[in-house]
């Protein structure tokens, strides 16, 4: 909490190192969300909304489960990996920075005070001990050693490995995994399991929904829950507030964590199910993923790949009359553009 609010107190005598100390603390804490247990709440379901005909019709269109298989050409995948590695950023030479410090030993232990820092010194390639490249990349990509060797040789980037082994391994693993994810998503085929395999509406009552006061808001009786739990970015909160103000939205639900779409990259949990009444008296059903950007290139690769899997899942589910449409939106205005 002190890190977030900028109130970290540095003990006397260490003020000169405040910046470095706080930086280390941030790395240790990571993205740790500090939550007050007293703010923890169990969010109730509105039975009147849950059992309404409008919500039943909405849920009937989004509830079905699917399974998938992935078809891809192994040779094409290897070629994609080669291209991805060829186009990866250049690898810089390994550099070393020397720092000097005065060290004193007292009752409080060893203390060091930095006195000077050298500029970066390039390391000669012949002086670098090279790690086991194939084993390291095999662990990071799960490809066979033969495939990895083929990718490395054909990409003509092996000289970069000698220049800076660690940077090259990181970039090569990222390039290969990006190409893998793209191949998996492009080759995925979903199939609806059957009419009897779906997420039962009763799960809204039997599965507890837990949240915290600071990341949830109270909503009207258009929502199946009494409160909406939103993520730390706040995009979901803005969307929920917009839904509340929009008179065309008749009923909606923030999809709970147990509602999952299977993907090769892990389970995917869409954000919303929404029912909209048009001016012409037509009812439209939507599954909505809220994101800060509508450009898929702006999304993290894995996240964007899961969204594309979601699109294919709901295409297969949309077999009944007037099915639910899957959309990515920043605001309700973006969603209304599809109405």
């Amino acid at each position: 909490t002190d890190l977030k609010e900028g109130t970290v107190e540095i003990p006397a005598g260490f003020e000169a190192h405040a910046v470095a100390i706080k930086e280390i603390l941030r790395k240790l804490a990571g993205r740790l969300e500090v939550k007050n247990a007293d703010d923890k709440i169990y969010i109730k379901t509105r039975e009147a909304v849950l059992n309404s005909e409008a919500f039943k019709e909405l849920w009937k269109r989004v509830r079905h489960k699917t399974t998938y298989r992935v078809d891809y050409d192994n040779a094409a995948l290897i070629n994609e990996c080669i291209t991805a590695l060829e186009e990866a950023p250049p690898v810089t030479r390994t550099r070393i920075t020397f720092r000097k410090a005065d060290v004193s030993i007292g009752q409080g232990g060893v203390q060091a005070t930095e006195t000077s820092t050298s500029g970066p010194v390039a390391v000669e390639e012949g002086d670098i001990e090279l790690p086991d490249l194939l084993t390291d990349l095999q662990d990071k990509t799960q490809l066979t050693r033969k495939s990895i060797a083929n990718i490395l040789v054909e990409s003509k980037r092996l000289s970069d490995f000698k220049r800076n082994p660690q940077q090259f391994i990181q970039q090569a693993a990222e390039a290969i995994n990006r190409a893998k994810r793209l191949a998996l998503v492009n080759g995925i085929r979903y199939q609806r399991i059957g009419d009897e395999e779906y997420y039962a509406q009763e799960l809204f009552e039997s599965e507890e929904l837990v949240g915290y006061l600071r990341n949830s808001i109270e909503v009207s009786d258009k929502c199946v829950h009494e409160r909406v739990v939103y993520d730390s970015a706040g995009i979901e909160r803005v969307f929920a507030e917009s839904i509340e103000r929009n008179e065309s939205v008749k009923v909606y639900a923030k999809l709970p964590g147990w509602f999952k779409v299977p993907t090769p990259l892990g389970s995917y949990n869409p954000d919303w199910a929404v029912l909209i009444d048009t001016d012409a008296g037509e009812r439209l059903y939507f599954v909505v993923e809220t994101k800060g950007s509508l450009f898929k290139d702006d999304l993290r690769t894995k996240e964007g790949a899961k969204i594309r899997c979601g699109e294919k899942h709901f295409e297969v589910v949309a077999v009944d009359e007037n099915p639910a449409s899957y959309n990515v939106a920043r605001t309700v205005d973006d969603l209304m553009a599809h109405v």
Side-chain angles (χ1 to χ4, degrees):
T1 301
D2 287 338
L3 281 170
K4 282 191 169 185
E5 297 176 357
T7 57
V8 175
E9 294 184 4
I10 305 298
F14 294 94
E15 292 88 348
H17 306 287
V19 174
I21 291 171
K22 291 177 183 178
E23 186 61 31
I24 291 172
L25 290 175
R26 287 191 189 95
K27 289 181 180 178
L28 292 172
R31 295 184 62 187
L32 178 65
E33 286 291 325
V34 180
K35 296 176 180 177
N36 186 346
D38 293 335
D39 290 340
K40 189 175 182 179
I41 52 174
Y42 293 91
I43 299 171
K44 296 180 180 179
T45 303
R46 288 192 173 95
E47 292 189 14
V49 179
L50 183 66
N51 296 319
S52 67
E53 285 302 314
F55 186 77
K56 287 180 180 178
E57 288 297 314
L58 173 61
W59 193 246
K60 184 171 71 174
R61 287 162 170 78
V62 304
R63 66 184 181 177
H64 289 284
K65 296 181 180 181
T66 59
T67 184
Y68 68 85
R69 66 178 186 181
V70 178
D71 297 321
Y72 66 90
D73 185 328
N74 190 63
L77 171 60
I78 298 302
N79 287 332
E80 289 293 331
C81 291
I82 293 169
T83 302
L85 186 53
E86 284 177 340
E87 297 175 352
V91 174
T92 59
R93 295 177 65 183
T94 303
R95 289 174 169 81
I96 295 176
T97 299
F98 295 94
R99 293 176 177 171
K100 295 181 180 180
D102 290 335
V103 178
S104 61
I105 302 175
Q107 292 182 346
V110 179
Q111 294 184 337
T113 303
E114 188 173 317
T115 58
S116 65
T117 303
S118 73
V121 178
V123 178
E124 293 297 328
E125 294 179 8
D127 297 333
I128 302 174
E129 184 176 344
L130 300 178
D132 186 339
L133 175 59
L134 289 181
T135 299
D136 211 340
L137 284 178
Q138 189 176 25
D139 291 341
K140 288 179 167 62
T141 66
Q142 285 75 55
L143 292 184
T144 65
R145 295 171 71 89
K146 181 179 179 181
S147 295
I148 294 171
N150 187 16
I151 293 167
L152 295 173
V153 172
E154 295 298 324
S155 69
K156 298 179 175 58
R157 293 289 300 268
L158 274 174
S159 59
D160 289 342
F161 171 60
K162 293 187 292 183
R163 182 179 299 118
N164 192 329
Q166 192 59 40
Q167 186 182 4
F168 178 79
I169 289 172
Q170 289 174 347
Q171 286 192 184
E174 183 177 353
I176 292 170
N177 284 329
R178 281 174 179 267
K180 272 182 57 184
R181 282 194 287 265
L182 188 61
L184 289 174
V185 172
N186 289 341
I188 197 167
R189 300 289 181 270
Y190 278 92
Q191 181 177 355
R192 185 165 148 175
I193 297 176
D195 292 338
E196 302 304 318
E197 289 293 327
Y198 56 82
Y199 288 106
Q201 194 168 312
E202 290 75 19
L203 287 170
F204 279 94
E205 296 178 294
S206 62
E207 297 290 330
E208 285 186 331
L209 179 61
V210 180
Y212 290 84
L213 287 172
R214 65 184 298 177
N215 71 326
S216 67
I217 57 170
E218 189 174 353
V219 289
S220 71
D221 58 5
K222 291 198 290 187
C223 184
V224 73
H225 289 112
E226 293 182 352
R227 299 182 72 89
V228 165
V229 179
Y230 56 87
D231 60 15
S232 58
I235 296 170
E236 293 173 355
R237 173 171 183 157
V238 173
F239 191 85
E241 291 172 342
S242 299
I243 280 183
E244 289 292 313
R245 292 191 298 267
N246 194 299
E247 296 179 356
S248 298
V249 177
K250 297 305 176 185
V251 66
Y252 72 95
K254 178 73 167 64
L255 293 171
W258 46 259
F259 186 90
K260 295 177 180 178
V261 175
T263 84
L265 310 171
S267 297
Y268 164 56
N269 173 222
D271 289 329
W272 311 89
V274 183
L275 188 158
I276 292 175
D277 278 354
T278 68
D279 294 337
E282 186 181 8
R283 281 193 162 178
L284 302 179
Y285 305 89
F286 294 93
V287 175
V288 184
E289 180 69 27
T290 41
K291 293 298 174 192
S293 171
L294 300 184
F295 294 97
K296 290 178 181 176
D297 290 344
D298 291 338
L299 301 174
R300 293 190 300 273
T301 303
K302 186 173 181 180
E303 190 175 22
K306 283 188 175 183
I307 287 174
R308 287 190 285 275
C309 289
E311 291 173 347
K312 295 187 178 184
H313 163 86
F314 286 105
E315 284 175 4
V316 171
V317 170
V319 295
D320 299 322
E321 184 180 353
N322 192 13
S325 171
Y326 177 87
N327 293 275
V328 178
R330 296 168 300 179
T331 65
V332 174
D333 289 340
D334 291 332
L335 177 61
M336 297 302 292
H338 298 279
V339 173

